[in-house]
């Protein structure tokens, strides 16, 4: 069961009582709620609007202290789109308080990737809503799914809160807005988000499939369950490897 759910029905408030609202990162003042078709259903979504200059990127944040346990085991499930391909990296979310380039991205070849470790095989299309799920086992291993399809199992600390404890004491998660120090600071694209859910556990393959059919996503039955997890048995763990970039 999710510990926090944000459905963006005209508010950044959470569905669960006592859970904090998301904080908007909107330096240009142009982000807004709009009506859009999400998997064939008209509903309200939140459009984050900025530009690639680090101080003008847009997105959302949430402090997870008291929401997620004081460890690295958690899962994030997001239904969103990037409106266009910026021919670079696009930040999905990170846990470094925007102090490190290490985060979860769509990379220039249009695949999901945790930088700087590796990525997955399925193409992420722009201008389309996707359901992206990242699970953290809490032992230095993360697993990602795109529309319920297994992408990779990676050994990395890039998504561990403990790796950034000094610069991120409130265990913030930043969605879509990239780092503001170090290399690779311009990795941003405008987009629209329909759902964010946090779990205080690593979701299993079956659980990822089950929540894909949850009516709260507005796409009951249309997002494929991870039947293609057979990819894992074909040795495609991290098959796309690491794509180099220039900071």
């Amino acid at each position: 069961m999710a510990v926090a759910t944000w459905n963006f029905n005209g508010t950044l408030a959470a569905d669960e009582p006592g859970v904090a609202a998301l904080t908007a990162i909107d330096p240009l003042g142009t982000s807004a709620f709009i009506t859009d078709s999400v998997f064939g259903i008209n509903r309200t979504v939140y459009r984050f609007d900025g530009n690639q200059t680090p101080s003008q990127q847009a997105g959302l944040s949430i402090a997870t202290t008291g929401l997620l346990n004081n460890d690295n085991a958690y899962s994030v499930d997001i239904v969103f789109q990037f409106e266009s391909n910026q021919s670079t990296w696009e930040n999905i979310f990170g846990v470094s308080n925007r102090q490190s380039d290490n985060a979860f991205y769509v990379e220039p070849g249009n695949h999901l990737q945790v930088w700087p470790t590796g990525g997955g095989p399925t193409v992420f299309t722009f201008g389309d809503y996707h359901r992206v799920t990242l699970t953290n086992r809490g032992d230095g291993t993360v697993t990602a799914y795109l529309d319920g399809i297994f992408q990779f199992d990676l050994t990395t600390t890039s998504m561990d809160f403990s790796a950034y404890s000094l610069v991120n004491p409130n265990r913030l998660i930043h969605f879509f807005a990239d780092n503001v120090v170090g290399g690779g600071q311009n990795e941003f694209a405008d987009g629209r988000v329909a759902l964010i859910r946090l779990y205080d556990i690593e979701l299993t393959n079956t659980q990822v499939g089950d929540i894909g059919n949850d009516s709260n996503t507005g796409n009951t039955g249309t997002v494929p369950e991870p039947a293609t997890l057979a990819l894992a048995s074909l040795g495609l763990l991290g098959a796309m490897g690491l794509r180099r970039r220039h900071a």
Side-chain angles (χ1 to χ4, degrees):
M1 186 175 188
V3 296
T5 308
W6 295 275
N7 268 301
F8 301 99
N9 55 349
T11 177
L12 297 181
D15 289 359
E16 295 82 0
V19 174
L22 291 162
T23 297
I25 305 166
D26 186 24
L28 302 182
T30 50
S31 300
F33 291 99
I34 63 171
T35 300
D36 204 5
S37 177
V38 182
F39 304 124
I41 297 175
N42 286 336
R43 52 160 298 173
T44 303
V45 302
Y46 181 75
R47 182 175 186 268
F48 49 95
D49 180 57
N51 65 46
Q52 290 181 302
T53 302
S55 63
Q56 297 182 347
Q57 294 175 8
L60 299 157
S61 70
I62 185 68
T64 67
T65 302
L67 187 60
L68 300 178
N69 285 336
N70 249 353
D71 57 26
N72 292 317
Y74 66 91
S75 299
V76 178
D77 187 62
I78 318 175
V79 175
F80 75 102
Q81 66 159 273
F82 288 129
E83 293 178 347
S84 63
N85 188 348
Q86 301 299 314
S87 299
T88 180
W89 300 70
E90 292 87 17
N91 185 292
I92 301 173
F93 76 88
V95 297
S96 73
N97 196 17
R98 304 184 72 185
Q99 300 301 296
S100 171
D101 198 25
N102 296 349
F104 187 31
Y105 294 93
V106 176
E107 48 87 3
N110 303 339
H111 303 91
L112 300 182
Q113 183 174 121
V114 171
W115 175 262
T117 309
T122 305
V123 172
F124 181 100
T125 56
F126 291 81
D128 299 313
Y129 283 94
H130 293 283
R131 179 170 162 254
V132 172
T133 312
L134 185 84
T135 71
N136 191 327
R137 198 168 302 161
D139 62 356
T141 306
V142 298
T143 306
Y145 306 83
L146 176 57
D147 296 326
I149 301 172
F150 171 86
Q151 297 300 295
F152 55 73
D153 226 9
L154 296 175
T155 300
T156 179
T157 60
S158 291
M159 306 307 295
D160 287 356
F161 289 105
S162 61
Y164 316 101
S165 57
L166 293 179
V167 296
N168 191 16
N170 292 322
R171 295 163 57 90
L172 288 157
I173 300 177
H174 284 86
F175 298 94
F176 313 120
D178 201 29
N179 53 299
V180 294
V181 298
Q185 293 185 35
N186 301 311
E187 295 156 347
F188 167 81
D190 293 334
R192 307 172 186 197
V193 58
L195 173 74
I196 296 176
R197 286 186 285 206
L198 299 185
Y199 298 81
D200 198 21
I201 57 171
E202 178 213 13
L203 295 174
T204 66
N205 301 339
T206 299
Q207 288 169 326
V208 170
D210 288 345
I211 63 173
N213 288 324
D214 191 319
S215 61
N216 284 337
T217 65
N219 65 313
T220 304
T222 61
V223 172
E225 295 186 19
T228 48
L229 287 170
L231 288 173
S233 65
L234 294 176
L236 289 179
L237 299 179
M240 297 307 294
L242 177 63
R243 295 180 178 269
R244 297 185 64 185
R245 63 175 165 181
H246 302 284

